Amino acid sequence: LDVPIGRAGATKRQMLALGKGTAQHTLIVGKTGSGKSTLLHAFITNIALHYSPDELELYLIDFKEGVEFKMYAALTLPHAKVVAIESEREFGLSVLQRLDGILRERGEAFRDAGANDIASYREQTGKVVPRILLVVDEFQIFFNEDDKLSNEAAQLIDRLVRQGRAFGMHVLLGSQTLGGSNSLPRSTIDQMAVRIALQCSDADAQLILSKDNTAARLLSRPGEAIYNDANGLVEGNDPFQVVWLNEDHRETLLAGLKERADGAYPPPLVFEGNLPAVLGDNPMLRELMAHPTQDARSLTAWLGDAIAIKDPTAAVFRAQSSSNLLLVGQQEEAALALITSSIVALRPQLGINSPTSGGEPLPRFTVLDGTPDDAEHADYLRRAMTALGMPEAAIERSAIPSAIEALHAEYERRQKNETPDRSPLFLIVHGLARFRELRKAEDDYSFRKSEGPKPPGELFATLLRDGPVFGIHAIVWCDTLTNFNRSLDRQALKEFSQRVLFQMSSADSSHLLDTPAANRLDRNRALFTLEDQPRPEKFRPYGLPEIAWLKTLK
């Protein structure tokens, strides 16, 4: 890979060359305003212009709070496999894991072919194997915390740097500084022969080049830089000026690349950390909508995009005890979005026939909406159910006791084997604390009369405890753990083997997870935990679907 990145002197072009000798990987350091972003854009655009997507694949990760790489996603750069904007450490780690898997696959393929490097493999097999370039801006974010994730990231980067050379894999890391107690090990940095220093501190000038090479501290203008492909030795210094690439011109060039590709290459996997996930972009849901299917063994409700290169985060409902879903946290709109997304995903898996209780048809979903009348989304759930062709699912407040009684009657019929029907039914409760009807009964010291109908709260508790085994599941949102405990008894929490946690207090998080991790969640983030899952999964919840889009799903 040989790409111009600036001008050296009056007539000479400065090239960034990777893949020859020891020049396999690049380290770029420059403080804010030094021209590092300009250099990265010029390099990425130029390398895409010089090499076809068959020859080069790009994995682009940006940890900054900005939109530096957004254009490559918006214009679907055909070379890009992954574009991460305002990325998170977990997603960055999953990219490293994906590349490590590719490295292992290529190692096996090269051994089978008796090839030592990518050139000989191409020659012996005739197969087109693209070089892979990983670009990580502000890679130091990986090491912000001294934890298991940073240790694993350091090991993976080191493996990619040490072994990538033979298999056509190159790494370009950019940062504002190399200082700090937690950083990439010096042994890894020493393997990166190509160094580009822009304006930086005296300490970074020595770290990026070498202790005996302090030339970088003399750089004074934005875009002024030193290119060194000799592991930072003084004799390898080549001063140059970074090329300026106008944003409009860059957009025109990238649009031209997209047009030339003409859809021949799949779009990149895009992670945009500052936005909620979009339910309509879920490829598994789109496939399900196109080909509805019924699987009596399990039903899947997708909740959002995983912060990793993997399938979307999902809750799975099976005919087994505690197969209910609990959402906890004060983000009411986010909870409303997840409830709606779950209904959208479950609906095509349920078929069209509704079970009956005493001859009356039961809706597949029984939706209790506790949204206050003066709230922004006060009537959203009712309109959503109407848009999905299920207006009968939205239960009026006055009809809540009879709706709970009907579900409980169906549960008893199934328990007594009075019906062979085990079709799944879902009880949705948005705002548990707002339904006095569902609260546990006050302690009556066992003097309550045994005859007469049981209160809705007691029936609700029975459905949570025993309903899942017979195909009756609950999806419940409650704003705080305190309000949950006020509404249900202490044992009720065990009836929810699947839980979604939004940002909450450290105490609530520790009680639900044995860790305060949910207290550190940002906006558009949540944790999904399973009873038998050792670690919670961080994900990006789906945003609230538009009613107009829901109408297209009928």
Side-chain angles (χ1 to χ4, degrees):
L1 303 174
D2 204 10
V3 183
I5 55 173
R7 186 171 293 283
T11 58
K12 183 182 176 184
R13 287 187 298 176
Q14 180 61 56
M15 311 295 287
L16 197 163
L18 297 174
K20 291 183 179 179
T22 59
Q24 302 292 330
H25 312 287
T26 305
L27 189 62
I28 301 175
V29 173
K31 63 184 182 182
T32 302
S34 65
K36 177 167 61 70
S37 295
T38 301
L39 172 59
L40 287 176
H41 286 311
F43 174 67
I44 293 170
T45 305
N46 245 342
I47 205 168
L49 290 169
H50 279 71
Y51 300 95
S52 79
D54 294 323
E55 296 176 300
L56 176 69
E57 293 178 354
L58 295 173
Y59 290 74
L60 308 176
I61 303 175
D62 183 11
F63 282 119
K64 289 201 303 293
E65 293 185 4
V67 290
E68 293 292 349
F69 290 169
K70 188 177 182 67
M71 189 177 292
Y72 305 115
L75 294 174
T76 58
L77 180 65
H79 303 70
K81 292 295 183 182
V82 172
V83 180
I85 305 157
E86 287 196 69
S87 186
E88 293 206 18
R89 298 166 74 231
E90 291 86 353
F91 185 82
L93 179 64
S94 74
V95 175
L96 296 179
Q97 292 168 339
R98 166 70 68 89
L99 291 175
D100 186 55
I102 294 174
L103 192 69
R104 295 177 188 277
E105 291 172 4
R106 287 194 174 186
E108 294 175 3
F110 280 33
R111 280 193 294 272
D112 292 342
N116 295 322
D117 54 32
I118 191 168
S120 60
Y121 181 79
R122 286 177 173 178
E123 182 179 347
Q124 294 184 32
T125 64
K127 295 180 180 179
V128 178
V129 180
R131 289 184 181 271
I132 293 175
L133 177 62
L134 168 66
V135 179
V136 185
D137 195 11
E138 300 306 331
F139 75 93
Q140 291 285 79
I141 298 295
F142 272 127
F143 311 106
N144 273 356
E145 299 180 33
D146 185 14
D147 56 9
K148 183 178 178 180
L149 191 152
S150 67
N151 292 333
E152 187 174 354
Q155 293 173 8
L156 289 171
I157 292 175
D158 187 72
R159 186 150 60 236
L160 295 178
V161 167
R162 291 179 184 275
Q163 300 179 16
R165 168 184 178 178
F167 306 116
M169 192 173 291
H170 310 284
V171 177
L172 187 153
L173 303 179
S175 182
Q176 294 183 22
T177 179
L178 291 180
S181 57
N182 299 321
S183 182
L184 196 63
R186 190 70 210 183
S187 58
T188 304
I189 293 177
D190 289 342
Q191 296 292 320
M192 306 183 75
V194 181
R195 319 280 176 84
I196 299 178
L198 296 104
Q199 282 180 285
C200 55
S201 66
D202 290 352
D204 282 326
Q206 295 184 23
L207 289 172
I208 181 67
L209 298 175
S210 66
K211 291 183 179 180
D212 300 325
N213 188 356
T214 59
R217 66 185 180 86
L218 303 176
L219 299 174
S220 59
R221 299 191 308 272
E224 192 177 19
I226 292 175
Y227 181 92
N228 187 305
D229 60 2
N231 288 83
L233 298 178
V234 175
E235 54 268 29
N237 286 355
D238 286 315
F240 75 102
Q241 183 71 30
V242 174
V243 65
W244 167 252
L245 181 59
N246 181 276
E247 185 173 340
D248 292 337
H249 184 44
R250 174 162 57 99
E251 184 174 352
T252 301
L253 294 172
L254 294 174
L257 285 170
K258 178 182 178 181
E259 183 178 351
R260 287 167 60 186
D262 194 26
Y265 301 93
L269 172 63
V270 178
F271 177 87
E272 195 161 0
N274 59 339
L275 295 176
V278 179
L279 179 61
D281 291 343
N282 183 331
M284 304 172 77
L285 177 62
R286 289 202 299 265
E287 175 65 21
L288 180 62
M289 291 293 183
H291 305 94
T293 180
Q294 287 181 262
D295 187 347
R297 295 169 298 178
S298 64
L299 296 168
T300 301
W302 290 286
L303 306 172
D305 289 348
I307 301 183
I309 302 180
K310 61 184 290 293
D311 290 340
T313 301
V316 179
F317 297 91
R318 300 181 176 89
Q320 60 188 36
S321 61
S322 74
S323 186
N324 299 310
L325 173 64
L326 175 65
L327 316 176
V328 184
Q330 295 183 339
Q331 290 82 344
E332 181 160 358
E333 182 178 332
L336 192 61
L338 288 198
I339 284 175
T340 308
S341 300
S342 298
I343 294 172
V344 169
L346 292 167
R347 178 171 159 268
Q349 302 173 65
L350 291 172
I352 57 174
N353 298 320
S354 298
T356 59
S357 180
E360 292 296 323
L362 281 173
R364 289 292 193 181
F365 298 95
T366 300
V367 181
L368 311 184
D369 184 10
T371 308
D373 292 339
D374 58 348
E376 180 182 358
H377 302 290
D379 201 35
Y380 177 85
L381 266 180
R382 182 177 302 282
R383 291 187 295 123
M385 300 312 293
T386 300
L388 292 169
M390 300 182 294
E392 72 285 351
I395 306 301
E396 295 289 347
R397 190 74 183 236
S398 60
I400 289 177
S402 59
I404 297 295
E405 287 171 9
L407 277 175
H408 188 269
E410 176 65 18
Y411 151 71
E412 288 187 325
R413 294 178 69 232
R414 295 182 179 192
Q415 183 191 42
K416 297 173 182 177
N417 289 321
E418 294 178 0
T419 173
D421 192 358
R422 293 292 188 272
S423 302
L425 297 173
F426 286 87
L427 173 59
I428 312 290
V429 182
H430 179 69
L432 175 64
R434 296 167 185 160
F435 293 101
R436 296 181 64 88
E437 304 93 326
L438 303 182
R439 291 184 185 176
K440 60 187 177 183
E442 296 297 332
D443 194 349
D444 54 12
Y445 300 99
S446 301
F447 290 117
R448 186 177 67 81
K449 295 180 180 180
S450 58
E451 60 273 10
K454 295 181 179 179
E458 189 173 334
L459 301 182
F460 177 57
T462 301
L463 289 173
L464 291 179
R465 184 181 66 249
D466 302 324
V469 174
F470 299 97
I472 302 175
H473 308 275
I475 300 176
V476 177
W477 169 64
C478 193
D479 54 355
T480 66
L481 182 60
T482 299
N483 281 337
F484 179 89
N485 290 331
R486 285 174 180 168
S487 300
L488 299 170
D489 60 43
R490 293 183 177 181
Q491 299 300 315
L493 197 59
K494 297 180 180 179
E495 309 307 333
F496 295 89
S497 63
Q498 305 177 98
R499 302 171 190 171
V500 171
L501 279 65
F502 302 107
Q503 188 182 51
M504 60 181 61
S505 68
S506 296
D508 281 1
S509 176
S510 297
H511 186 87
L512 291 166
L513 284 179
D514 294 328
T515 169
N519 179 248
R520 300 192 294 269
L521 289 173
D522 296 326
R523 187 182 178 187
N524 297 323
R525 295 292 183 274
L527 294 175
F528 176 67
T529 179
L530 288 169
E531 194 172 45
D532 56 352
Q533 183 174 287
R535 292 175 58 186
E537 177 183 341
K538 185 189 286 189
F539 71 101
R540 256 191 329 149
Y542 290 125
L544 203 62
E546 296 285 345
I547 296 295
W549 179 74
L550 295 177
K551 290 180 179 178
T552 67
L553 306 180
K554 293 182 68 173

